[in-house]
Amino acid sequence: MTNITQPSDFPKIDQDSSGKCVRICQNRTCKKQGAVKVLAAFTALPIPGVTVTASSCLGQCGNGPMVLILPDMVWYSSVQPDEVSLLIENHLLGGQRVKQMLYYRFHPQKES
């Protein structure tokens, strides 16, 4: 029996490329919480080497809008359109996670 533990299978990212992929959930609950505007904010600020895509449900309903950055596997929750530039500047360009926006279920707050 195959051991499948993930609720959804993400397409494989070319590990040879240094590019990142930003997925913004566009399912019902996230849409109600403003995910369409978050996606628009990301696409309005294109970054070389970063692909921004609308995603189907990421399985974290009620905590959105959810943003997943691959291949880093970093999850951000309750992202607002005016916070997108902070994510781009700090995480995508600067390589630093935006701690106050990290999704608590996958990134528990702890002292580093």
Side-chain angles (χ1 to χ4, degrees):
M1 181 172 186
T2 309
N3 188 9
I4 299 175
T5 58
Q6 293 297 322
S8 60
D9 294 322
F10 293 113
K12 299 290 181 225
I13 299 218
D14 181 2
Q15 295 300 318
D16 293 334
S17 108
S18 60
K20 293 190 184 303
C21 180
V22 178
R23 292 183 172 240
I24 300 105
C25 179
Q26 296 296 302
N27 211 39
R28 284 177 289 200
T29 306
C30 280
K31 267 189 169 177
K32 287 180 186 173
Q33 295 172 318
V36 172
K37 290 180 180 177
V38 173
L39 177 60
F42 269 106
T43 56
L45 299 167
I47 307 145
V50 176
T51 304
V52 174
T53 61
S55 175
S56 57
C57 185
L58 292 172
Q60 304 305 315
C61 299
N63 295 292
M66 294 299 299
V67 173
L68 172 60
I69 299 181
L70 298 171
D72 303 353
M73 287 304 293
V74 176
W75 294 74
Y76 292 104
S77 62
S78 302
V79 177
Q80 299 304 306
D82 62 349
E83 297 172 321
V84 167
S85 60
L86 182 66
L87 281 180
I88 290 172
E89 191 176 314
N90 290 341
H91 189 129
L92 296 172
L93 297 174
Q96 298 294 317
R97 295 178 179 188
V98 183
K99 291 182 182 175
Q100 69 271 24
M101 295 172 65
L102 289 171
Y103 183 42
Y104 70 96
R105 287 191 179 155
F106 298 136
H107 307 288
Q109 297 296 319
K110 58 186 172 199
E111 294 296 319
S112 314

